[in-house]
Amino acid sequence: MEASAGLVAGSHNRNELVVIRQEGEPGPKPLEQLSGQICQICGDDVGLTADGELFVACNECAFPICRTCYEYERREGGQVCPQCKTRFKRLKGFARVPGDQEEDDIDDLENEFIGQFLAESMLQGQMSYGRGGDVEFPQVVHTMPQVPLLTNGEMVDDIPPEQHALVPSFMGGGGKRIHPLPFSDPSLPVQPRSMDPSRDLAAYGYGSVAWKERMENWKQKQEKLQMSRNVNGGKDWDDDGDGPDLPLMDEARQPLSRKLPIPSSQINPYRMIIIIRLIVLGFFFHYRITHPVPDAFALWLVSVICEIWFAVSWILDQFPKWLPIERETYLDRLSLRYEKEGQPSQLDPIDIFVSTVDPMKEPPLVTANTVLSILAVDYPVDKVSCYVSDDGAAMLTFEALSETSEFAKKWVPFCKKFNIELRAPEWYFQQKIDYLKDKVLPSFVKERRAMKREYEVFKIRINALVAKAQKVPEEGWTMQDGTPWPGNNVRDHPGMIQVFLGQSGGLDMDGNELPRLVYVSREKRPGFNHHKKAGAMNALVRVSAVLTNSPYLLNLDCDHYFNNSKAIREAMCFMMDPLVGKRVCYVQFPQRFDGIDRHDRYANRNIVFFDINMKGLDGIQGPIYVGTGCVFRRQSLYGCDAPKLKKPPTRTCNCLPKWCCCCCCCSGRSKKKKNAKTKQEKKVRTSPAFSLEGLENGIKEIEGKKSVIMSEQKLEKKFGQSPVFVASTLLENGGTLKSASPASLLKEAIHVISCGYEDKTEWGKEVGWIYGSVTEDILTGFKMHCHGWRSIYCIPDRPAFKGSAPLNLSDRLHQVLRWALGSVEIFLSRHCPLWYGYGGGLKGLERFSYINATVYPFTSIPLLAYCSLPAVCLLTGKFITPELNTVASLWFISLFICIFATSILEMRWSGIGIDDWWRNEQFWVIGGISSHLFAVFQGLLKVLAGIDTNFTVTSKAGDDEKFSELYTFKWTTLLIPPTTLLIINLIGVVAGVSNAINNGYESWGPLFGKLFFSFWVIVHLYPFLKGLVGRQNRTPTIIIVWSILLASIFSLLWVRIDPFLPKSDGPVLEECGLDCN
């Protein structure tokens, strides 16, 4: 797809398709201007050589092949002409490939395009599917040559049909060919030619000298492999059971990553204290339950229930951290294996998704910096495609992306020339470091200054677009050519696609190719549920599958930029490692943030979660998906099960009785039949359907062989009615369908982002991002783990990505509210980890972590009650425990010691500081009694009653200084519970001290326990108190009003309780009326 194609907008349901070209763009080249022959592989023009002559790939038969297909066949394919089977000779201007010195010998071919053949066959049979008017698609059906082959058309030992003894000759034909195999027009006769031993027998292999040499080499490799296994004690290289496929002979064959277990000196004491804490908890609850408080039974009962809930919550959180690990990657080995000198890079392509909605809340300059960091990433440019999803259909985002694509032509070569590491220009020019470090080129200073001026001009242009967008014209926005902007109505507009950078028109200032950059805005119509971010991500999955279909995906929020240009390589060390990558569904990177104050008052960094909990999950089945900074395997998003583990063969014994042997034999036969059936199914699944006359006949033939390939109806029900997308799902290693023309791909891309495409399909249920929760990330990762996949947690030395976090208290609480609401929705849905996914591939401790991730908002109810108990105890003079004896004091002290010891040992093996741990503890209380509490009630109203409530934020003015946002106060309903709780505890402390002073020294002893309890609450709410008063103790008026109101209420209650009067249990004495004197 070319970058100069213009903005394509349309609606599949309304049968509309419009191409809007920018001013000055040339139109499409007329068909009459194309001259020369047509390539029989891809259908493009063969082209001319540098001398202006027609390009000829094969000098023997002059079979028409273009330069691109010729180079691809020599590098990736069979290196032989599809018609005459002569090995392609190296032509002038092309790189040398292995085997060029051995012109008479043909390398052995491994059928690595099986999935491609099957997908192409489906595409040919399905491309018209009744819509009519498909552009530039040949209605040609390819059939297998009716020639009796030695194997009756079956695949034997992965040898393609054209390499059997009798090879039919290609006779041309009027249709396009999708692969260099002897497909022919059915209207033309197929003439078999005689077998040439120098061509066919050598390729066929059997009986030749090359075959014997290959067998000897194979035996030697097997011997070396067995020796390497013996050296390693026969153990697997990974816990997942994937052993090495090749002997580790050199550095390039070494594993691309390895696990680093936590040292036993750190992890063993940690596990011991967990066990001790469990035992102490048992004795503690035994004492608490068997020693109630008669005069404060209600307080005692509430406290015991809360403590039991806290203990269960601790167990759910603690045990998934039982097996923490770290990982190490080897980028040099990745380059040695997949980037050999003098050869094209063999790294797998990747599609990168960036999602944005409202450019007023998500500034275009921030999105532009994220896109620039993606385009400048340290990865082969032809392997990277960036898709920007504009779910708000804003012309501001479109124009900002157009400006970004022009600036990228200057920024990307600058980064790669001088090896700039931080490749987001806004943050690069702001960093306070010595930018001359490790720079040796004298021109760097001059070019850096020039680039900084260029970026400042770019910022001014973006700011001008933002200023212009503040006032929307009455007639709506119009494009440069006067065409109305298709997205003027945000809730009712067609789908839009624009390729800014691509295969043509995507060159930088030095003439080098740039990664592909695509703008996507899915169709929106009234009456459709668009599923917010999850729906936008699924639309990107489909449109990227149609246009590029890379086997891996990376999704980023618009404010998360590449902080490490080698982040993709870090992920590929796991994904492309043959030892561990087969069962990996995604690689999750930790979230790191910029612009947070040094004290991190509201625990925005989430250090405890990312550096403790996620490392623990990585030792079980992998971390949960956190919504951004995650590299996916595309096939895992299609609802597929993880590859099954290969079990070692079982040993038999001759000393068993005959009846047992019979049972074993019967069992063995059944297993063999089952395995044979599985192999046959795999064989049919991977064998290309060359002999299909359209998809319907192919389905009947495959079903007759009891194949596992889905029928046409099942595929459409699962993936939707797009033949191009359905065909792309069968390509496990990715790759585009070469038989489709750019015009047809554009039409299919518009089709797959239409608003009704997902109706009556499994999108959002089993395929793609899962619907049903505002935290679609947790739900999507949970479904993958239930399918048996595992995930990887990668923490590079340099953080892979960095983003922005909310600074002020109100925004932070609303962020936590959204996360907690999503967890409540999952808990109340059919995907609740308590009852979903049994019998699948989800491990027990991994299930514990998902249960904890969905039930933690409900902890807010006992937490609120428990934090209210100190004030109640101080005001009433009662306590939740009876007078402690020596044994009870021992259990209380032991429990406190175990709690502190667990935290200290966690900080020791994880490497986090005590300040990060303490901030996390504080905000656990703050968020628990505010955001989590509201999330529970909001989730119950939404799921059970269908009432959707929103808590709005009213913004107040802030300062222009650094971190001024930190002191900005925004009133929200979430602030009421912690404010009230803080005030009543302060009043309780005053009341308790006053009561002790009034009653004398005897009441000071019981008072200390109550004061400690109350101070525990106040200290945890201290950051909240600082957020309320703001800078320099400037308390907002609303807080003063609330404080006076609540203080008045509690003052009236105080007068009613009247704690200063002495309390006596004796008889009531009245004054005698007689004067005794």
Side-chain angles (χ1 to χ4, degrees):
M1 186 174 176
E2 298 182 353
S4 59
L7 174 66
V8 181
S11 172
H12 172 75
N13 297 331
R14 301 187 180 187
N15 198 20
E16 299 173 354
L17 189 66
V18 180
V19 179
I20 305 174
R21 299 189 178 275
Q22 297 182 3
E23 188 176 0
E25 283 187 353
K29 181 184 283 188
L31 191 61
E32 291 79 5
Q33 296 181 9
L34 299 177
S35 60
Q37 297 183 354
I38 301 300
C39 175
Q40 295 298 320
I41 296 179
C42 66
D44 294 335
D45 188 48
V46 170
L48 305 177
T49 62
D51 300 330
E53 299 178 356
L54 185 67
F55 177 78
V56 179
C58 179
N59 296 326
E60 297 289 333
C61 64
F63 186 74
I65 299 178
C66 65
R67 297 173 61 92
T68 304
C69 295
Y70 165 78
E71 186 176 7
Y72 181 86
E73 283 298 316
R74 279 175 43 82
R75 187 180 70 249
E76 303 285 347
Q79 303 181 355
V80 294
C81 175
Q83 176 169 299
C84 64
K85 299 304 169 195
T86 304
R87 179 181 176 84
F88 282 131
K89 296 184 178 180
R90 186 171 70 91
L91 302 180
K92 184 178 180 181
F94 290 88
R96 187 179 298 276
V97 298
D100 280 341
Q101 285 79 7
E102 304 173 3
E103 297 293 346
D104 295 333
D105 184 29
I106 298 178
D107 295 341
D108 181 52
L109 302 177
E110 293 186 0
N111 195 349
E112 58 186 2
F113 299 99
I114 293 176
Q116 179 97 7
F117 301 155
L118 180 58
E120 299 283 0
S121 302
M122 288 189 60
L123 181 65
Q124 290 296 329
Q126 278 287 311
M127 198 58 198
S128 57
Y129 69 97
R131 284 189 288 145
D134 277 10
V135 186
E136 301 183 28
F137 256 83
Q139 301 298 326
V140 179
V141 178
H142 300 307
T143 59
M144 283 290 292
Q146 303 298 323
V147 179
L149 304 179
L150 293 181
T151 57
N152 293 324
E154 299 286 340
M155 295 286 291
V156 177
D157 292 336
D158 296 334
I159 297 178
E162 80 273 16
Q163 296 182 8
H164 287 282
L166 296 179
V167 182
S169 177
F170 181 75
M171 297 299 296
K176 294 182 182 178
R177 300 217 358 257
I178 60 176
H179 197 269
L181 285 176
F183 291 165
S184 61
D185 194 338
S187 62
L188 299 177
V190 179
Q191 299 180 359
R193 59 177 173 82
S194 59
M195 181 178 62
D196 187 353
S198 63
R199 297 174 183 172
D200 300 302
L201 188 58
Y204 195 78
Y206 297 120
S208 63
V209 178
W211 174 262
K212 296 179 180 179
E213 293 178 354
R214 288 178 58 233
M215 288 298 298
E216 292 296 329
N217 293 335
W218 179 82
K219 291 179 180 179
Q220 293 178 4
K221 289 181 180 180
Q222 292 300 315
E223 293 176 357
K224 294 176 181 178
L225 178 61
Q226 188 64 32
M227 291 174 60
S228 64
R229 286 177 176 172
N230 293 336
V231 170
N232 289 283
K235 297 182 179 179
D236 291 331
W237 285 86
D238 189 78
D239 292 341
D240 296 332
D242 297 323
D245 297 330
L246 294 173
L248 308 179
M249 299 298 295
D250 52 17
E251 185 71 15
R253 296 292 177 86
Q254 295 289 330
L256 302 180
S257 63
R258 67 164 180 158
K259 295 180 182 178
L260 298 176
I262 305 299
S264 58
S265 60
Q266 298 178 6
I267 196 64
N268 287 341
Y270 175 68
R271 292 170 179 166
M272 290 174 60
I273 203 66
I274 292 174
I275 301 299
I276 295 173
R277 183 172 172 179
L278 276 175
I279 298 173
V280 172
L281 265 178
F283 286 103
F284 171 79
F285 282 118
H286 178 267
Y287 172 81
R288 292 284 283 130
I289 295 173
T290 57
H291 292 77
V293 183
D295 58 340
F297 186 81
L299 296 179
W300 169 83
L301 182 62
V302 171
S303 64
V304 170
I305 294 175
C306 293
E307 289 164 358
I308 292 176
W309 179 271
F310 295 151
V312 174
S313 178
W314 171 76
I315 290 174
L316 291 176
D317 178 71
Q318 186 66 66
F319 278 91
K321 297 183 284 189
W322 186 262
L323 299 168
I325 62 169
E326 295 178 347
R327 295 183 184 270
E328 186 179 47
T329 57
Y330 303 101
L331 300 181
D332 52 346
R333 296 177 183 176
L334 181 73
S335 298
L336 286 173
R337 180 175 295 188
Y338 296 107
E339 292 182 305
K340 298 179 180 178
E341 187 176 357
Q343 299 182 12
S345 174
Q346 302 298 318
L347 293 172
D348 285 337
I350 186 170
D351 293 335
I352 304 176
F353 298 162
V354 179
S355 57
T356 182
V357 181
D358 188 354
M360 296 304 173
K361 295 181 180 179
E362 300 164 336
L365 188 62
V366 175
T367 305
N369 273 270
T370 300
V371 172
L372 289 171
S373 68
I374 293 172
L375 299 179
V377 72
D378 184 7
Y379 206 71
V381 293
D382 58 328
K383 309 284 187 179
V384 178
S385 299
C386 178
Y387 292 84
V388 179
S389 171
D390 179 17
D391 221 29
M395 189 173 176
L396 173 58
T397 304
F398 178 82
E399 292 185 337
L401 207 59
S402 178
E403 294 287 347
T404 303
S405 64
E406 293 299 320
F407 180 71
K409 298 177 181 179
K410 307 172 185 178
W411 173 252
V412 173
F414 170 75
C415 291
K416 295 188 175 181
K417 179 179 180 181
F418 298 106
N419 195 23
I420 301 300
E421 186 46 58
L422 209 168
R423 301 191 176 183
E426 180 70 20
W427 299 101
Y428 170 71
F429 291 119
Q430 283 186 7
Q431 57 183 349
K432 306 296 183 182
I433 61 172
D434 181 14
Y435 62 84
L436 298 178
K437 185 178 180 180
D438 299 330
K439 299 297 183 292
V440 296
L441 295 178
S443 61
F444 172 69
V445 176
K446 181 179 179 181
E447 294 194 30
R448 185 183 185 275
R449 292 173 180 171
M451 183 54 59
K452 188 173 183 179
R453 288 193 297 268
E454 291 285 350
Y455 178 65
E456 290 173 350
V457 173
F458 168 72
K459 287 180 64 175
I460 293 175
R461 296 174 68 90
I462 296 295
N463 293 335
L465 292 175
V466 175
K468 180 182 176 182
Q470 298 297 323
K471 186 177 181 181
V472 182
E474 295 181 359
E475 65 278 6
W477 299 108
T478 56
M479 304 184 70
Q480 294 180 357
D481 59 352
T483 307
W485 171 246
N488 278 325
N489 190 341
V490 178
R491 294 179 176 85
D492 188 3
H493 65 83
M496 294 176 283
I497 297 176
Q498 166 76 60
V499 181
F500 286 107
L501 300 173
Q503 295 175 346
S504 61
L507 302 181
D508 59 23
M509 296 184 63
D510 297 338
N512 299 319
E513 185 180 355
L514 287 172
R516 183 182 281 102
L517 176 61
V518 184
Y519 169 87
V520 178
S521 181
R522 57 179 174 147
E523 181 185 13
K524 286 190 175 181
R525 301 295 180 189
F528 287 89
N529 188 357
H530 302 291
H531 300 289
K532 299 182 180 179
K533 181 182 176 181
M537 298 304 296
N538 285 336
L540 286 182
V541 171
R542 295 191 296 270
V543 74
S544 64
V546 171
L547 299 181
T548 51
N549 196 34
S550 299
Y552 302 107
L553 310 173
L554 166 63
N555 84 292
L556 292 173
D557 290 342
C558 63
D559 60 343
H560 277 67
Y561 61 88
F562 270 84
N563 184 67
N564 185 346
S565 61
K566 294 180 172 58
I568 299 179
R569 296 177 180 269
E570 296 276 356
M572 291 303 168
C573 285
F574 301 103
M575 288 295 194
M576 299 185 67
D577 193 335
L579 305 183
V580 300
K582 298 176 182 178
R583 294 174 53 83
V584 175
C585 57
Y586 60 82
V587 176
Q588 178 66 62
F589 291 90
Q591 292 186 19
R592 304 297 189 216
F593 301 99
D594 274 322
I596 299 178
D597 66 307
R598 181 171 56 90
H599 300 289
D600 191 16
R601 180 183 298 176
Y602 307 123
N604 280 292
R605 293 190 176 94
N606 281 332
I607 295 294
V608 172
F609 173 75
F610 285 112
D611 287 8
I612 295 181
N613 295 67
M614 297 286 268
K615 287 181 180 179
L617 292 177
D618 198 18
I620 306 171
Q621 197 176 350
I624 63 176
Y625 169 42
V626 296
T628 183
C630 187
V631 177
F632 287 94
R633 184 181 302 275
R634 185 183 286 270
Q635 288 294 322
S636 65
L637 285 169
Y638 291 157
C640 304
D641 291 332
K644 300 297 182 182
L645 296 176
K646 297 180 181 178
K647 296 183 179 180
T650 57
R651 297 182 180 180
T652 57
C653 180
N654 296 328
C655 59
L656 298 176
K658 291 184 178 180
W659 60 271
C660 186
C661 294
C662 293
C663 293
C664 294
C665 293
C666 294
S667 175
R669 290 194 191 105
S670 62
K671 288 182 180 179
K672 287 180 180 179
K673 290 180 180 179
K674 186 176 181 180
N675 293 337
K677 183 179 180 181
T678 304
K679 290 181 180 179
Q680 184 179 1
E681 289 174 350
K682 289 183 179 179
K683 183 177 179 181
V684 175
R685 183 181 178 88
T686 56
S687 60
F690 295 145
S691 58
L692 303 183
E693 296 180 359
L695 185 62
E696 295 181 359
N697 295 337
I699 292 174
K700 293 180 181 179
E701 180 179 345
I702 296 175
E703 286 180 351
K705 297 180 180 179
K706 298 180 180 180
S707 170
V708 295
I709 300 179
M710 296 182 185
S711 64
E712 176 186 3
Q713 293 79 12
K714 290 183 179 180
L715 286 172
E716 289 182 354
K717 182 178 180 181
K718 184 174 184 179
F719 297 114
Q721 297 183 350
S722 171
V724 177
F725 176 74
V726 171
S728 69
T729 61
L730 301 177
L731 305 177
E732 296 184 2
N733 296 322
T736 56
L737 307 176
K738 298 180 180 179
S739 61
S741 63
S744 299
L745 291 180
L746 281 174
K747 189 173 183 179
E748 286 299 314
I750 293 295
H751 177 206
V752 298
I753 61 174
S754 60
C755 55
Y757 181 83
E758 297 180 355
D759 293 346
K760 298 180 181 180
T761 66
E762 295 186 8
W763 283 100
K765 302 172 185 176
E766 297 293 334
V767 180
W769 269 255
I770 307 301
Y771 303 149
S773 172
V774 293
T775 53
E776 70 287 332
D777 44 8
I778 295 178
L779 195 53
T780 302
F782 173 63
K783 293 279 286 187
M784 291 183 182
H785 286 141
C786 288
H787 280 287
W789 295 93
R790 75 149 298 140
S791 53
I792 297 292
Y793 193 51
C794 180
I795 310 180
D797 294 333
R798 181 182 178 88
F801 310 101
K802 280 191 176 182
S804 57
L807 289 180
N808 61 71
L809 177 61
S810 304
D811 290 344
R812 173 66 168 146
L813 290 178
H814 272 265
Q815 182 189 57
V816 176
L817 170 66
R818 178 184 173 275
W819 296 343
L821 176 60
S823 297
V824 174
E825 290 175 340
I826 296 174
F827 179 80
L828 299 176
S829 70
R830 70 182 186 93
H831 292 115
C832 179
L834 283 171
W835 51 73
Y836 183 85
Y838 288 96
L842 189 65
K843 295 183 179 180
L845 289 180
E846 192 78 12
R847 183 179 297 276
F848 268 37
S849 68
Y850 277 109
I851 293 175
N852 183 53
T854 54
V855 303
Y856 77 89
F858 296 94
T859 308
S860 60
I861 299 176
L863 182 61
L864 180 64
Y866 207 69
C867 291
S868 303
L869 289 177
V872 176
C873 292
L874 287 169
L875 292 174
T876 60
K878 303 180 185 300
F879 201 49
I880 59 176
T881 61
E883 186 176 350
L884 301 180
N885 53 29
T886 306
V887 177
S889 302
L890 179 63
W891 293 126
F892 273 85
I893 295 173
S894 300
L895 181 60
F896 278 108
I897 292 176
C898 289
I899 291 174
F900 286 113
T902 305
S903 302
I904 292 172
L905 292 175
E906 272 188 357
M907 289 185 284
R908 184 185 176 209
W909 65 254
S910 63
I912 69 171
I914 190 172
D915 52 344
D916 292 318
W917 174 82
W918 176 237
R919 293 302 183 200
N920 181 80
E921 291 293 315
Q922 287 179 315
F923 200 80
W924 176 75
V925 176
I926 296 172
I929 61 177
S930 57
S931 299
H932 298 173
L933 182 66
F934 278 83
V936 171
F937 291 105
Q938 186 177 357
L940 291 174
L941 290 174
K942 183 177 181 180
V943 175
L944 301 181
I947 302 174
D948 194 1
T949 57
N950 293 314
F951 303 103
T952 58
V953 179
T954 303
S955 179
K956 306 296 181 182
D959 299 330
D960 294 331
E961 304 173 20
K962 188 177 181 182
F963 302 125
S964 62
E965 182 88 7
L966 180 66
Y967 306 101
T968 302
F969 181 80
K970 300 178 181 180
W971 171 250
T972 173
T973 321
L974 300 177
L975 300 177
I976 297 177
T979 304
T980 306
L981 198 61
L982 190 60
I983 291 176
I984 65 171
N985 273 278
L986 291 174
I987 293 177
V989 171
V990 175
V993 174
S994 302
N995 191 23
I997 294 174
N998 185 54
N999 293 334
Y1001 293 103
E1002 296 160 355
S1003 59
W1004 283 99
L1007 177 65
F1008 282 123
K1010 302 172 187 177
L1011 288 178
F1012 175 80
F1013 199 5
S1014 185
F1015 277 122
W1016 178 88
V1017 177
I1018 295 174
V1019 169
H1020 277 79
L1021 293 177
Y1022 177 70
F1024 177 82
L1025 180 62
K1026 290 189 66 176
L1028 289 182
V1029 300
R1031 177 183 294 179
Q1032 298 175 356
N1033 296 329
R1034 292 180 298 178
T1035 306
T1037 306
I1038 189 67
I1039 296 301
I1040 297 176
V1041 173
W1042 269 98
S1043 300
I1044 295 175
L1045 179 62
L1046 292 173
S1048 302
I1049 294 173
F1050 281 102
S1051 297
L1052 295 174
L1053 291 174
W1054 182 263
V1055 173
R1056 177 69 181 85
I1057 295 172
D1058 199 6
F1060 293 104
L1061 291 178
K1063 300 176 177 57
S1064 175
D1065 296 333
V1068 179
L1069 302 179
E1070 296 183 359
E1071 185 177 355
C1072 180
L1074 299 176
D1075 187 4
C1076 297
N1077 296 327

